[in-house]
Amino acid sequence: MNNDTHPSGAPWRNFYGRFKGKTLRPSQEVYLDEDLAALSPGPVSWEENPDRTAIDLTDVFGAVPLWLEIGFGGGEHMVHQAAANPGTGLVGCEPFINGVAMLLGKVRKAEVDNLRIYPGDVRNLFDVVPESTFDKAFLLYPDPWPKKRHHRRRFVTQEYLVPLHRALKPGAEFRVATDIPDYVRQTLLEVPKAGFEWLAQGPTDWREPWDDWISTRYEQKALREGRVPHYLTFRRL
């Protein structure tokens, strides 16, 4: 066995976030047991798909625009977008199982059926979607990893951005929201290197949210604590 691979055949990929937090409520356990499998986008994990056979999301959604949310947190934004855009198909990746359970509860309440969930590392999804799959991607309040020695763990590094670029269609929109000034700096430095163009023409383009924005629970906490949100929009070249 190659030392650079997992026993499943997966490449060793460092993952630094949490997979689980506080104990799930009984209702959330029910959501995970009853709803999660039916909302799978297909065989994404290395255990399910060791040969890394490409998946076709048109088999799931039909011929509609496909959007990707990377780390959907509690799922407020994803459910909002699914409900507001029934003619799209949304895929969300989130390894934190508590967030997955929260999203499943919101999905039940909103009765949306145009989203799918992969409860794991988005890099596994990048492995198995064809080039130019997604029309839009969201990275909203990602883990800031504030210590300088941890900045390489952030999503806005080439390890993540290069496969994201491949998965997006030319001209696709990539939205980033963050309240961490140094994350803004790193985003503006690294995202263009990966083949994206920042679309801002004036200060309001990063100070004011998108027209279809819904303020998340995390953003409300940031505002209460005096941090300033930034809304960055890029286009995949």
Side-chain angles (χ1 to χ4, degrees):
M1 179 68 69
N2 188 317
N3 290 333
D4 293 331
T5 61
H6 185 274
S8 67
W12 283 113
R13 287 170 171 162
N14 291 326
F15 181 80
Y16 299 101
R18 295 183 301 163
F19 288 104
K20 190 171 183 180
K22 62 184 180 181
T23 303
L24 296 169
R25 296 194 298 271
S27 61
Q28 292 177 323
E29 296 278 9
V30 170
Y31 302 153
L32 291 168
D33 290 342
E34 295 184 357
D35 299 352
L36 182 58
L39 291 174
S40 170
V44 173
S45 72
W46 281 81
E47 289 76 15
E48 296 174 291
N49 187 351
D51 296 329
R52 312 315 285 149
T53 301
I55 63 173
D56 187 351
L57 292 174
T58 62
D59 292 341
V60 178
F61 297 109
V64 298
L66 299 173
W67 297 357
L68 171 67
E69 184 157 346
I70 302 158
F72 52 71
E76 304 103 309
H77 177 265
M78 191 171 175
V79 169
H80 166 74
Q81 292 288 2
N85 299 278
T88 64
L90 284 85
V91 178
C93 295
E94 174 60 69
F96 186 49
I97 202 65
N98 298 65
V100 173
M102 291 173 65
L103 170 61
L104 290 171
K106 293 180 176 70
V107 169
R108 278 200 180 193
K109 184 175 181 179
E111 298 182 344
V112 291
D113 61 3
N114 58 325
L115 59 77
R116 295 295 184 269
I117 303 165
Y118 172 58
D121 190 328
V122 70
R123 289 173 292 184
N124 294 335
L125 181 71
F126 290 151
D127 290 343
V128 297
V129 293
E131 185 174 351
S132 302
T133 289
F134 294 105
D135 298 84
K136 187 178 292 189
F138 306 93
L139 178 70
L140 308 176
Y141 294 102
D143 194 323
W145 294 110
K147 294 181 180 179
K148 187 173 182 179
R149 67 177 184 272
H150 293 159
H151 288 182
R152 61 186 175 84
R153 301 180 181 182
R154 292 172 169 173
F155 183 90
V156 288
T157 60
Q158 298 305 303
E159 179 181 1
Y160 290 92
L161 293 170
V162 169
L164 171 65
H165 181 273
R166 174 190 168 277
L168 292 175
K169 293 178 180 178
E173 184 178 295
F174 176 39
R175 296 181 179 181
V176 182
T178 181
D179 58 315
I180 306 300
D182 189 70
Y183 207 103
V184 174
R185 178 200 62 78
Q186 188 171 342
T187 299
L188 294 177
L189 178 67
E190 295 294 333
V191 174
K193 286 182 184 178
F196 294 84
E197 176 187 14
W198 187 30
L199 297 182
Q201 296 182 340
T204 58
D205 292 325
W206 67 83
R207 292 176 180 168
E208 295 183 2
W210 302 280
D211 290 342
D212 58 354
W213 177 244
I214 179 174
S215 187
T216 64
R217 183 179 55 169
Y218 183 89
E219 180 172 274
Q220 291 302 310
K221 180 175 184 288
L223 291 169
R224 289 195 303 271
E225 295 176 0
R227 296 190 298 275
V228 178
H230 293 72
Y231 309 95
L232 309 175
T233 308
F234 300 88
R235 179 170 55 218
R236 191 270 206 205
L237 299 174

